[in-house]
Amino acid sequence: MAKNKKENSCEMPCRLGKVGGQAVLDGVMMKSGDRVALSVRTDEGIKSELSTFTSKRKKYKILNLPLVRGVVNMVESFQLSFKTLERSAEMAGFEEVEEPGKFERWLTEKLGNKLMGVIMAVAGVLGVALAMFLFMYLPALVTSLFDGFIKAGWAKTIIEGVVKITIFILYMVLVSFMPDIKRTFEYHGAEHKSIACYENGLELTPENAKTCSRLHPRCGTSFIFVILILSIIIFMIPIFPWENKLLRVLCKLATLPIIAGLGFEFIMYAGKHTNIITKVLSAPGLAMQKITTKEPSLEQLEVAIRSLKAALPDEFPEVAEEISANAENENATEDKTEEKTDGTEDPHEETEE
């Protein structure tokens, strides 16, 4: 087949926004509707799992209102993100790489299968605390250094916003040099390229996906950048006083849902419409993706494509069927192992007299 041959099942417009994804530990998660597909590269090959995640927006119509749906989407994205990251670590066998110490053994005895969940929860709390420090306290501290020179609140807000964006960029650049993060950014690029390949109507192969762009307007990186820019504009309103820093922080926290909702509406619009306005407003976020995505290998693209196909069973039924069959076989094997461990007799075995 020609390298860039287009599939006849669907033209590009009806594929826009149909599937989204996330890079995980040594793999990619893809989601289409309620269907979630997770694929991870292991020593034995690609391991995949299927699950469902139903948004509350389907149950409660009020949660689909503009702005509200953005807040709901952000919360649910965090939930799904932590869940898939935890599961990808288990699938990749990261918890088995090193011999556990006394403290790790004690935690395992006390928490059992909940250990990874607790670790992810603690990591999440620490991550929020770090974000609060980097993007709220530190920018305000730096801006306060200019109190003797600048009195206008709008000017201070611009300085504070520039400091936030600078911290965000520097943070991403620095962590991108860490081997594990660099590999995750490569899978992030694989996720984008495979989605772009699908949305452009190309045959889903690693070679075709390799030719596609690794920058995508619906990316979470773009969302964060849009949030930062919107926060600068909104925080320039006089209701956010500089005189009372505690009140200013509380006002910021109160308006975060509104900013998140506005950012979500823009990202969704930009992901489905290409015009001069969306191109200009999306440019900073797309430029940032040059840091948060790296060029993936064909093997990494293969993982992303497997997840994408599994998330779309109506178009690629053979992949979903294969994953489901493998899951059934693994469950059957585990059940037999548990029976032998528990000392349960196999009904097919003859007993000695």
Side-chain angles (χ1 to χ4, degrees):
M1 292 184 182
K3 187 177 184 181
N4 291 326
K5 181 181 178 181
K6 293 198 173 186
E7 297 177 350
N8 298 322
S9 60
C10 183
E11 294 299 326
M12 185 179 68
C14 73
R15 291 186 169 191
L16 291 177
K18 191 172 182 180
V19 62
Q22 168 195 331
V24 295
L25 301 174
D26 276 347
V28 173
M29 178 273 288
M30 291 287 186
K31 182 176 183 294
S32 180
D34 296 340
R35 193 176 184 87
V36 179
L38 176 63
S39 295
V40 172
R41 173 74 70 177
T42 68
D43 293 337
E44 291 76 30
I46 301 175
K47 185 181 294 185
S48 301
E49 284 189 357
L50 298 174
S51 61
T52 57
F53 186 90
T54 304
S55 172
K56 297 295 183 183
R57 291 160 55 191
K58 286 192 174 184
K59 186 176 181 180
Y60 304 103
K61 292 184 178 180
I62 192 173
L63 299 182
N64 267 317
L65 293 175
L67 298 185
V68 176
R69 59 190 177 190
V71 178
V72 175
N73 180 77
M74 182 176 67
V75 173
E76 292 183 339
S77 294
F78 280 134
Q79 291 177 339
L80 183 59
S81 176
F82 278 115
K83 181 181 177 181
T84 52
L85 281 171
E86 176 187 349
R87 184 57 189 146
S88 67
E90 294 171 353
M91 292 168 66
F94 286 156
E95 71 277 11
E96 302 171 1
V97 173
E98 297 180 358
E99 184 69 23
K102 291 183 178 179
F103 180 64
E104 288 84 354
R105 286 197 296 270
W106 180 82
L107 285 176
T108 302
E109 290 174 2
K110 296 295 181 181
L111 299 174
N113 294 332
K114 296 180 180 179
L115 176 60
M116 186 58 70
V118 172
I119 292 174
M120 294 300 295
V122 172
V125 172
L126 293 176
V128 170
L130 178 62
M132 292 282 287
F133 172 77
L134 290 176
F135 298 108
M136 283 197 171
Y137 178 76
L138 189 57
L141 179 64
V142 173
T143 305
S144 66
L145 301 176
F146 296 88
D147 285 347
F149 311 97
I150 300 173
K151 300 298 182 182
W154 63 266
K156 290 182 179 180
T157 301
I158 292 176
I159 294 174
E160 183 184 49
V162 170
V163 172
K164 285 182 184 178
I165 293 174
T166 302
I167 291 173
F168 178 59
I169 293 173
L170 287 176
Y171 176 79
M172 287 300 179
V173 169
L174 290 175
V175 300
S176 68
F177 289 104
M178 299 171 63
D180 289 342
I181 300 297
K182 182 176 182 294
R183 189 166 66 253
T184 301
F185 284 177
E186 289 170 356
Y187 275 106
H188 190 192
E191 174 223 331
H192 283 193
K193 280 176 171 283
S194 58
I195 291 177
C197 184
Y198 170 75
E199 291 183 338
N200 284 309
L202 302 177
E203 182 185 0
L204 276 173
T205 65
E207 291 75 16
N208 280 351
K210 189 79 172 176
T211 66
C212 295
S213 173
R214 71 175 198 263
L215 311 181
H216 201 286
R218 291 199 314 275
C219 175
T221 304
S222 293
F223 176 73
I224 294 174
F225 216 89
V226 168
I227 293 298
L228 291 174
I229 294 173
L230 283 174
S231 67
I232 295 175
I233 298 171
I234 293 177
F235 292 159
M236 288 173 68
I237 301 173
I239 63 171
F240 300 95
W242 276 97
E243 295 77 18
N244 190 324
K245 288 183 171 55
L246 176 60
L247 181 59
R248 182 175 174 82
V249 170
L250 293 176
C251 289
K252 285 182 177 181
L253 291 174
T255 53
L256 275 179
I258 298 174
I259 296 173
L262 289 171
F264 175 80
E265 297 299 329
F266 172 75
I267 291 296
M268 290 298 100
Y269 179 83
K272 296 182 179 180
H273 299 82
T274 302
N275 53 54
I276 186 64
I277 296 176
T278 58
K279 285 183 178 180
V280 171
L281 296 178
S282 299
L286 293 174
M288 192 66 205
Q289 288 180 43
K290 292 183 179 179
I291 299 174
T292 61
T293 64
K294 300 298 181 184
E295 195 62 32
S297 65
L298 292 177
E299 289 76 17
Q300 290 169 325
L301 286 165
E302 184 182 8
V303 174
I305 289 172
R306 183 169 178 80
S307 266
L308 194 154
K309 287 183 174 181
L312 298 167
D314 292 339
E315 298 182 47
F316 309 98
E318 69 284 351
V319 176
E321 291 171 1
E322 179 187 342
I323 294 173
S324 297
N326 290 340
E328 290 177 2
N329 291 335
E330 288 181 4
N331 290 336
T333 302
E334 289 177 1
D335 290 342
K336 289 182 179 179
T337 303
E338 289 177 0
E339 286 179 2
K340 291 181 179 180
T341 303
D342 295 339
T344 305
E345 290 184 355
D346 189 330
H348 298 289
E349 288 186 0
E350 294 184 0
T351 56
E352 291 185 5
E353 294 185 1

